[in-house]
Amino acid sequence: MDNKEISQAVIGRLPRYFRYLGELKDEGIERISSQELSDIMKVTASQIRQDFNNFGGFGQQGYGYKVEYLYEEIGRILGLEKTHDLIIIGAGNLGQALANYMNFERRGFLFRGIFDQNPELYGKKIRNMEVRPMEEMESFVKQNEIDIAVLTIPKAGAVKVAERLVDNGIKGIWNFAHVDLNVPKEIQVENVHLSDSLMKLAYNINRYESESIQTPGSSL
Amino acid sequence: MDNKEISQAVIGRLPRYFRYLGELKDEGIERISSQELSDIMKVTASQIRQDFNNFGGFGQQGYGYKVEYLYEEIGRILGLEKTHDLIIIGAGNLGQALANYMNFERRGFLFRGIFDQNPELYGKKIRNMEVRPMEEMESFVKQNEIDIAVLTIPKAGAVKVAERLVDNGIKGIWNFAHVDLNVPKEIQVENVHLSDSLMKLAYNINRYESESIQTPGSSL
């Protein structure tokens, strides 16, 4: 299986499939057709089949998919059987909110430490983990073989901090800073630009309103 | 201009263009070619031209684009000249983090209130706004004509709360709850599934490692 062929759009949909299949599994549902899955997830059945075909299809169409098998396969593709050591840079509200997402642990993301440059936060316990000074970040990453860093710091410092993390062996950065990082291509970056998604929401609200005015009662 | 033709993928890229153009504008840059913009934003110049053509192209190709004009046009398309009244449901770390994103105000998102069901939080000041009990949410939304609600509550309560918001005239929901809401199509929903994006990051890390092992030194 050559994952290089698989588009980021497909990859981006896998976690959602994983989430839904986990819920179906918890509900004790054993088999589901692409049509049933389509109805629940509100994506077309053909999209689901196309997405799954990237990974060999996951079993016969006619029979429908075995939920538990599909759940485990997608989890395996996502690499959730592996664990990742994760630190959070920035112990503000966002950093603390992320540290407290308990279910990250269930997905194999081990919260190993949290860092901040504000001395008032040093030693503060966040999820049984004391906030460490930024100065300790590099040695900590190296000594503990941390592979994922979560950036929840202002854009001003983010680019430099990212470089320091990369120099010390970080493999992936989950970036909440409002700036696009410039790191070597072998470093994986997943940007979460929260204000971008809020602007998209505003656009869709405005679009809907202007269309309702132009063509009253029109359905989108 | 028929926005109905414009894909959500294009819409989803507009805020990023807006962000970059704002920075170029702040740097005093007056004109930029699609190629220069492509280099900075790391998307192909043809993608940029295609995206902009959805909105009439924004000025001659040869000359390059007028940065300030483009910035303002995209801001207008995003509806950022309009203001939106926004409340946050859930005054935990994430709700507080979002309340403190000062720059939302600059984009026309007015933080009008924050609600929680935990009595210990009632009256707590978050950005000069006292946390209100959930019981007051419906009347508050109606009386203050709130159009956007930010959901930062556990998935268990989110679906019901969303219905209550819709019944009281909310137009859009920015959903951080780990559940897909089921609201009428005229209600705009922007889901932020944080764990999905972390799983995608893990996938890309694992993929890169397995490929490096299979074909040492291969470039992606």
Side-chain angles (χ1 to χ4, degrees):
Chain A
M1 170 172 74
D2 183 355
N3 288 351
K4 273 181 281 191
E5 301 297 334
I6 299 166
S7 77
Q8 285 295 302
V10 176
I11 305 312
R13 286 191 289 268
L14 287 183
R16 187 160 181 260
Y17 287 120
F18 185 76
R19 196 152 33 85
Y20 273 89
L21 289 161
E23 286 169 10
L24 291 166
K25 183 168 150 290
D26 295 343
E27 292 164 18
I29 293 162
E30 293 185 356
R31 282 188 169 281
I32 189 159
S33 68
S34 52
Q35 187 53 56
E36 291 166 309
L37 197 54
S38 152
D39 296 338
I40 306 171
M41 294 186 63
K42 301 190 175 53
V43 293
T44 66
S46 73
Q47 160 113 88
I48 291 172
R49 287 189 295 268
Q50 279 174 39
D51 286 350
F52 290 179
N53 284 337
N54 285 290
F55 305 97
F58 302 125
Q60 282 121 329
Q61 188 40 44
Y63 280 64
Y65 303 102
K66 277 188 185 154
V67 170
E68 185 157 10
Y69 169 76
L70 191 50
Y71 173 80
E72 282 163 6
E73 279 300 296
I74 292 178
R76 191 186 52 72
I77 290 165
L78 286 167
L80 299 181
E81 82 284 4
K82 302 194 188 76
T83 60
H84 293 279
D85 293 299
L86 174 152
I87 59 169
I88 296 173
I89 315 299
N93 284 316
L94 183 56
Q96 292 186 39
L98 295 172
N100 286 301
Y101 268 139
M102 288 299 182
N103 71 331
F104 284 171
E105 227 91 285
R106 281 197 5 254
R107 299 284 159 83
F109 299 98
L110 309 179
F111 174 50
R112 301 290 306 280
I114 182 163
F115 298 79
D116 202 284
Q117 60 180 9
N118 176 2
E120 292 175 10
L121 292 174
Y122 299 166
K124 182 188 176 183
K125 286 234 172 185
I126 294 168
R127 196 144 155 231
N128 305 323
M129 204 69 87
E130 287 191 357
V131 176
R132 293 184 168 84
M134 286 296 285
E135 293 67 32
E136 297 177 12
M137 179 185 75
E138 275 125 318
S139 56
F140 188 93
V141 168
K142 200 174 268 174
Q143 284 161 26
N144 298 278
E145 296 179 330
I146 302 300
D147 46 10
I148 296 179
V150 185
L151 285 192
T152 68
I153 55 179
K155 64 190 275 187
V159 174
K160 275 248 165 304
V161 167
E163 288 167 2
R164 288 163 57 191
L165 289 162
V166 169
D167 292 342
N168 288 275
I170 213 79
K171 294 171 184 169
I173 298 176
W174 198 23
N175 177 36
F176 287 79
H178 295 268
V179 58
D180 293 291
L181 306 174
N182 191 7
V183 297
K185 65 170 171 18
E186 61 268 24
I187 309 301
Q188 310 302 322
V189 177
E190 183 71 17
N191 292 307
V192 183
H193 288 295
L194 291 176
S195 55
D196 286 11
S197 97
L198 182 55
M199 283 191 264
K200 188 178 174 213
L201 175 61
Y203 171 88
N204 285 322
I205 291 173
N206 299 330
R207 181 189 62 163
Y208 179 79
E209 291 192 322
S210 58
E211 282 167 0
S212 321
I213 292 158
Q214 285 157 26
T215 55
S218 71
S219 70
L220 293 184
Chain B
M1 170 172 76
D2 184 355
N3 288 349
K4 273 181 282 188
E5 300 297 333
I6 298 165
S7 77
Q8 284 295 302
V10 176
I11 304 313
R13 288 191 288 269
L14 288 182
R16 185 159 182 261
Y17 287 120
F18 184 77
R19 195 152 33 84
Y20 273 88
L21 289 161
E23 286 168 10
L24 291 166
K25 183 167 151 287
D26 295 344
E27 292 164 18
I29 293 162
E30 292 184 355
R31 283 188 168 279
I32 187 159
S33 69
S34 52
Q35 187 52 58
E36 292 168 309
L37 197 53
S38 150
D39 296 339
I40 306 171
M41 293 186 63
K42 300 187 175 55
V43 292
T44 66
S46 72
Q47 161 115 87
I48 291 172
R49 288 190 294 269
Q50 279 175 40
D51 285 349
F52 290 179
N53 283 338
N54 286 292
F55 305 97
F58 302 124
Q60 281 120 333
Q61 189 39 44
Y63 282 62
Y65 303 102
K66 279 188 183 152
V67 170
E68 184 158 10
Y69 169 77
L70 192 49
Y71 173 80
E72 281 163 6
E73 279 300 296
I74 292 178
R76 192 186 52 72
I77 290 164
L78 286 168
L80 299 181
E81 82 283 3
K82 301 194 188 76
T83 59
H84 292 280
D85 295 298
L86 176 153
I87 59 169
I88 296 173
I89 315 300
N93 284 314
L94 183 55
Q96 292 185 39
L98 295 172
N100 286 300
Y101 268 138
M102 287 299 181
N103 71 332
F104 285 172
E105 226 91 287
R106 284 199 359 257
R107 300 284 159 86
F109 299 97
L110 310 178
F111 174 50
R112 302 289 306 280
I114 181 163
F115 298 80
D116 203 284
Q117 61 180 9
N118 176 2
E120 291 174 12
L121 292 174
Y122 298 166
K124 181 185 176 183
K125 285 234 174 186
I126 295 168
R127 195 142 156 233
N128 305 323
M129 204 70 86
E130 288 192 356
V131 176
R132 293 185 168 83
M134 286 295 285
E135 292 67 32
E136 297 177 11
M137 179 184 76
E138 277 126 318
S139 55
F140 188 93
V141 168
K142 202 174 267 173
Q143 284 160 25
N144 298 279
E145 296 179 331
I146 301 303
D147 46 11
I148 296 178
V150 185
L151 285 192
T152 69
I153 55 179
K155 65 190 274 185
V159 174
K160 274 249 166 304
V161 167
E163 289 168 4
R164 287 163 57 189
L165 289 162
V166 170
D167 292 341
N168 288 276
I170 213 79
K171 293 171 185 167
I173 298 176
W174 199 23
N175 178 36
F176 288 79
H178 294 267
V179 58
D180 294 289
L181 305 174
N182 191 8
V183 297
K185 66 171 170 19
E186 62 267 25
I187 309 302
Q188 309 303 322
V189 176
E190 184 72 17
N191 293 307
V192 183
H193 287 296
L194 292 175
S195 56
D196 286 10
S197 97
L198 182 56
M199 283 192 265
K200 187 178 174 213
L201 175 62
Y203 171 88
N204 284 323
I205 291 173
N206 298 330
R207 181 190 62 164
Y208 179 80
E209 292 193 319
S210 58
E211 282 166 0
S212 320
I213 292 160
Q214 286 155 24
T215 55
S218 69
S219 68
L220 292 186

